[in-house]
């Protein structure tokens, strides 16, 4: 489920990168020289490539005409000499343009740190405002707890509206269009949040499985209609085609699967271990721990537990 959130966040981040590039083409007020170099190279590269192609063609034509004139009228013919000089000069121009193209190409290939653009910085600041700090040593990845926080309705609003606020300040002529795109992201994150909240439960009954099915269909239909060019990763396929079947068969959510689920269960067993620490018998301690955990994930079993037998008071005849 983490992968689906990451997929949508990358789409939102891509929108921020596009806005950063547009802003870079309109102003030089950037904190990062790398970002400025990248945006300038990205704009210059197609122009330089066009100039290089034109110069190469001109140099070839001059060389061919000079060769023909020299063969017909001799190498010392003034026209042939002049054409050869022009061809040599154009060759130097081609060499200089080729070097510029190579330099710009290298700059574009190196790219820039996505965090250097002001819109992407705003996105990161919004994440940090509600306690989400991406893992810097793992390519800016998220962890499971990040998804729980980020998919809360107020945090979705904070994350997405930070972009529209920045657009209103930096790109006012695009603010209306950006607000429309942001609104779609708010809807997408909210629809997925509904799916995530149901999937993350320990126990899923038939009514919840039906609600999950409806939520998944609504989310996937909106995702495909809104982002037709976006790919559907394997985790979205699992969500769409296998999650409801899993819920109906096992009556548990995905919260018990994966690394995050294992870590949360480990923490839960640690808490249960502290609660039953006074029980000194090792086997009895483990039995109580496992029984309590089983009842927490299968609450319907509580009804099957017989009530404790009433203690009969012994009366002493006088």
């Amino acid at each position: 489920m983490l992968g689906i959130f990451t997929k949508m966040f990358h789409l939102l981040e891509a929108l921020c990168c596009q806005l950063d590039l547009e802003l870079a083409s309109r102003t030089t007020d950037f904190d990062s020289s790398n970002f400025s170099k990248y945006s300038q190279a990205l704009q210059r590269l197609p122009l330089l490539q066009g100039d290089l192609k034109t110069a190469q063609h001109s140099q070839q034509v001059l060389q061919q005409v000079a060769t023909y004139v020299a063969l017909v009228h001799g190498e010392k013919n003034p026209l042939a000499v002049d054409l050869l000089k022009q061809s040599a000069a154009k060759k130097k121009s081609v060499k200089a343009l080729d070097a510029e193209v190579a330099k710009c190409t290298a700059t574009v290939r190196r790219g820039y740190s996505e965090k250097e653009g002001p819109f992407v910085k705003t996105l990161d600041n919004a994440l940090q405002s509600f306690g989400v700090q991406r893992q810097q040593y793992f390519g800016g990845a998220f962890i499971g707890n990040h998804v729980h926080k980020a998919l809360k309705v107020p945090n979705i609003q904070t994350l997405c509206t930070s972009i529209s606020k920045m657009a209103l300040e930096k790109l006012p002529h695009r603010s209306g269009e950006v607000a429309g795109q942001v609104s779609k992201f708010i809807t997408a994150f909210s629809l997925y949040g509904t799916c995530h909240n149901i999937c993350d439960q320990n126990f899923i009954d038939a009514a919840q499985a039906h609600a999950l099915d409806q939520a998944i269909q609504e989310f996937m239909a909106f995702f495909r209609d809104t982002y037709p060019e976006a790919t559907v990763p394997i985790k979205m396929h699992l969500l769409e085609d296998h999650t409801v079947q899993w819920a109906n068969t096992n009556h548990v959510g995905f919260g018990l699967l994966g690394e995050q689920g294992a870590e949360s269960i480990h923490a839960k067993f640690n808490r249960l271990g502290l609660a039953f620490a006074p029980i000194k018998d090792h086997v009895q301690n483990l039995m109580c721990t496992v029984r309590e955990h089983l009842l927490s994930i299968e609450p319907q079993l509580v009804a099957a537990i017989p009530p404790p037998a009433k203690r009969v008071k012994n009366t002493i005849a006088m």
Side-chain angles (χ1 to χ4, degrees):
M1 306 304 283
L2 174 61
I4 300 175
F5 173 80
T6 304
K7 171 71 176 181
M8 293 195 299
F9 183 83
H10 284 167
L11 291 174
L12 184 61
E13 202 169 37
L15 171 63
C16 290
C17 290
Q18 292 175 4
L19 295 172
D20 281 333
L21 289 174
E22 181 174 348
L23 183 60
S25 67
R26 294 173 175 271
T27 179
T28 58
D29 185 20
F30 275 85
D31 296 334
S32 171
S33 60
N34 287 336
F35 185 88
S36 298
K37 289 178 181 177
Y38 171 80
S39 60
Q40 291 170 10
L42 195 64
Q43 295 170 41
R44 288 188 62 207
L45 184 58
L47 300 176
L48 287 171
Q49 288 173 334
D51 292 343
L52 176 61
K53 188 175 181 180
T54 301
Q56 286 174 334
H57 178 71
S58 299
Q59 194 270 332
Q60 290 174 359
V61 171
L62 286 171
Q63 183 66 36
Q64 290 171 359
V65 173
T67 302
Y68 173 79
V69 172
L71 288 173
V72 174
H73 301 287
E75 295 181 0
K76 295 183 179 181
N77 181 273
L79 180 59
V81 172
D82 183 58
L83 287 172
L84 287 172
K85 287 181 179 180
Q86 291 183 42
S87 176
K90 186 62 71 174
K91 189 174 182 179
K92 290 181 179 179
S93 176
V94 167
K95 188 176 180 180
L97 283 170
D98 190 51
E100 284 293 316
V101 168
K103 184 178 178 181
C104 284
T105 301
T107 302
V108 170
R109 284 179 178 174
R110 281 197 304 271
Y112 67 96
S113 173
E114 292 182 345
K115 294 186 177 180
E116 295 176 359
F119 277 91
V120 177
K121 282 183 178 179
T122 298
L123 204 60
D124 278 335
N125 291 337
L127 287 172
Q128 293 175 22
S129 70
F130 49 80
V132 173
Q133 182 76 36
R134 290 197 280 176
Q135 305 301 294
Q136 303 301 325
Y137 296 101
F138 296 96
F142 294 98
I143 60 175
N145 287 336
H146 288 163
V147 180
H148 297 307
K149 291 182 179 180
L151 288 178
K152 292 180 179 178
V153 175
N155 295 341
I156 292 173
Q157 292 284 340
T158 300
L159 179 67
C160 296
T161 55
S162 65
I163 303 171
S164 54
K165 291 177 181 177
M166 175 64 77
L168 188 61
E169 177 186 348
K170 299 290 186 181
L171 297 170
H173 66 288
R174 289 282 309 277
S175 59
E177 180 185 351
V178 172
Q181 293 174 299
V182 165
S183 177
K184 292 178 181 179
F185 275 106
I186 291 174
T187 303
F189 279 115
S190 299
L191 290 174
Y192 176 62
T194 303
C195 302
H196 175 78
N197 291 335
I198 300 175
C199 286
D200 198 52
Q201 296 179 17
N202 287 339
F203 176 73
I204 299 179
D205 58 21
Q208 290 171 321
H210 178 71
L212 176 62
D213 188 20
Q214 296 296 320
I216 291 173
Q217 290 183 29
E218 189 176 359
F219 165 66
M220 291 304 301
F222 182 84
F223 182 84
R224 287 194 172 96
D225 290 343
T226 308
Y227 311 106
E229 297 181 358
T231 58
V232 176
I234 185 66
K235 289 189 177 181
M236 273 192 181
H237 162 70
L238 293 174
L239 177 71
E240 183 177 26
D241 294 334
H242 301 287
T243 301
V244 176
Q245 180 183 0
W246 162 271
N248 284 324
T249 302
N250 300 287
H251 304 292
V252 295
F254 287 161
L256 297 177
L257 298 178
E259 181 183 356
Q260 290 80 20
E263 289 176 353
S264 65
I265 290 178
H266 185 205
K268 187 174 183 179
F269 269 96
N270 285 338
R271 291 193 298 269
L272 291 175
L274 291 174
F276 294 114
I279 302 177
K280 300 304 180 183
D281 184 86
H282 183 64
V283 175
Q284 190 65 25
N285 185 300
L286 288 177
M287 287 292 293
C288 291
T289 302
V290 174
R291 185 185 298 112
E292 186 68 21
H293 173 68
L294 178 62
L295 293 177
S296 69
I297 63 173
E298 295 285 354
Q300 72 275 14
L301 295 178
V302 175
I305 299 176
K310 294 183 178 180
R311 297 179 61 181
V312 180
K313 292 184 179 180
N314 296 325
T315 57
I316 301 175
M318 298 299 294

